[in-house]
Amino acid sequence: MLEIRQTSFEREVIEISREIPVLVDFWAPWCGPCRALGPMLERLERDYAGRFRLVKVDSDQNPELAAQFRVRSIPYVMAFFDGEPIDAFVGALPESQLREFIDRLLPNPSEIERRKARRLVQRGQLAEAVAALRAAIALDPSAAQAQLDLAEILLERLPGAVGDGPMAEAERALAAVGPAAREDTRWRALSTRLASLKGAASGPADGALRARIEADPADLQARLDLAQWHIARREFGPALDQLIEVVERDRTFGEDAARHTMLSVFELAAQQPQLVSTYRRRLAAALHR
């Protein structure tokens, strides 16, 4: 339990709630029901062993916070998660109802590990994030978003070339994602990235592909293979050059492979919005001419 004031509310409630639920107990020293509720909440915080956080706000000492959250009567308990208020109750509930209220808020242990990994990524601690995501998946092998997060770090974020070990682990993570989650654009983008890495490692060299295209500009397979070679190296502009050429020459080639690959590249190149916008317009023009 932590007693806070308005100056620390953002740090101690909003930011922490992006990782675990935070209960904010608005109280005052003169409030009899508050003196009954407070100790129960403190004991439950200990019982739940870190799965939620309790903070207390003296509404008399922090009238701005009380006004901001429309506290009309105390005790008043608000639950925050992902930076937003999500539930509340007024009055001193019995312990059984308090436990029901708390249980509705709690993410499962796998999701807690995933959130921990997200925080570690923001700090640049990628190896630690990978370990947290492996823990999340061990707790819940069906956790599709954790599988995608892991594949993304292994294929996109780790410095240097992607080695065989990370590539194999990313492939297992993507294969473990169920059918519904495979509709996620991120799954398709990461699958494209993985295919490009595997193709670049085992396919023709880029020089040979360029020679084929120079000899025959209509060699659409060579253009697709060269695009994959560029995607593997995160050279998205040259990759899109080859892919739009395939679409413009024969959209149906390879079961519309060039268009599908372009959509995945748009996701991979999200940090280059001008590039993505340019090729989205070119793709739209090619499809509607």
Side-chain angles (χ1 to χ4, degrees), residues 83-284:
E84 301 288 341
I86 59 170
D87 207 346
F89 67 84
V90 179
L93 300 181
E95 182 175 329
S96 60
Q97 291 184 35
L98 287 176
R99 287 185 178 274
E100 289 175 7
F101 180 85
I102 292 166
D103 288 342
R104 290 198 303 270
L105 305 174
L106 296 180
N108 63 47
S110 174
E111 180 63 16
I112 290 174
E113 288 294 327
R114 180 181 174 238
R115 289 172 180 275
K116 175 183 175 183
R118 185 171 63 184
R119 185 176 73 254
L120 290 166
V121 168
Q122 291 170 347
R123 295 175 181 172
Q125 298 173 265
L126 299 180
E128 293 85 349
V130 166
L133 288 168
R134 287 170 178 157
I137 293 165
L139 287 164
D140 181 6
S142 67
Q145 293 305 312
Q147 301 277 15
L148 292 177
D149 290 348
L150 177 60
E152 182 175 353
I153 292 176
L154 294 171
L155 297 177
E156 294 285 279
R157 293 183 177 271
L158 292 179
V162 181
D164 291 343
M167 198 183 310
E169 186 174 7
E171 185 169 16
R172 290 193 298 272
L174 292 173
V177 171
R182 294 188 183 198
E183 297 303 313
D184 189 320
T185 57
R186 192 159 62 124
W187 185 88
R188 294 196 294 268
L190 291 169
S191 295
T192 294
R193 170 82 167 137
L194 176 64
S196 72
L197 289 163
K198 294 173 69 175
S202 61
D206 62 309
L209 293 170
R210 290 192 178 94
R212 283 172 53 185
I213 293 168
E214 186 175 351
D216 179 8
D219 187 342
L220 302 187
Q221 187 59 56
R223 290 187 182 277
L224 279 178
D225 291 344
L226 184 57
Q228 294 286 4
W229 189 91
H230 284 301
I231 294 168
R233 287 154 182 78
R234 299 187 60 79
E235 297 167 356
F236 298 127
L240 290 167
D241 279 339
Q242 296 301 327
L243 293 168
I244 194 64
E245 185 74 21
V246 175
V247 172
E248 290 173 344
R249 286 174 177 271
D250 182 0
R251 174 185 166 179
T252 64
F253 183 79
E255 298 183 347
D256 206 10
R259 183 182 67 86
H260 289 303
T261 304
M262 287 187 76
L263 296 177
S264 294
V265 173
F266 293 157
E267 180 77 12
L268 292 169
Q271 300 303 313
Q272 302 177 51
Q274 186 172 355
L275 176 74
V276 171
S277 178
T278 296
Y279 280 93
R280 280 193 187 279
R281 290 195 299 270
R282 289 189 62 182
L283 178 60

Side-chain angles (χ1 to χ4, degrees), residues 67-90:
Q68 178 182 347
F69 294 108
R70 297 182 174 87
V71 178
R72 302 284 185 256
S73 178
I74 56 175
Y76 182 66
V77 176
M78 294 190 72
F80 287 76
F81 195 46
D82 266 344
E84 301 288 341
I86 59 170
D87 207 346
F89 67 84
V90 179

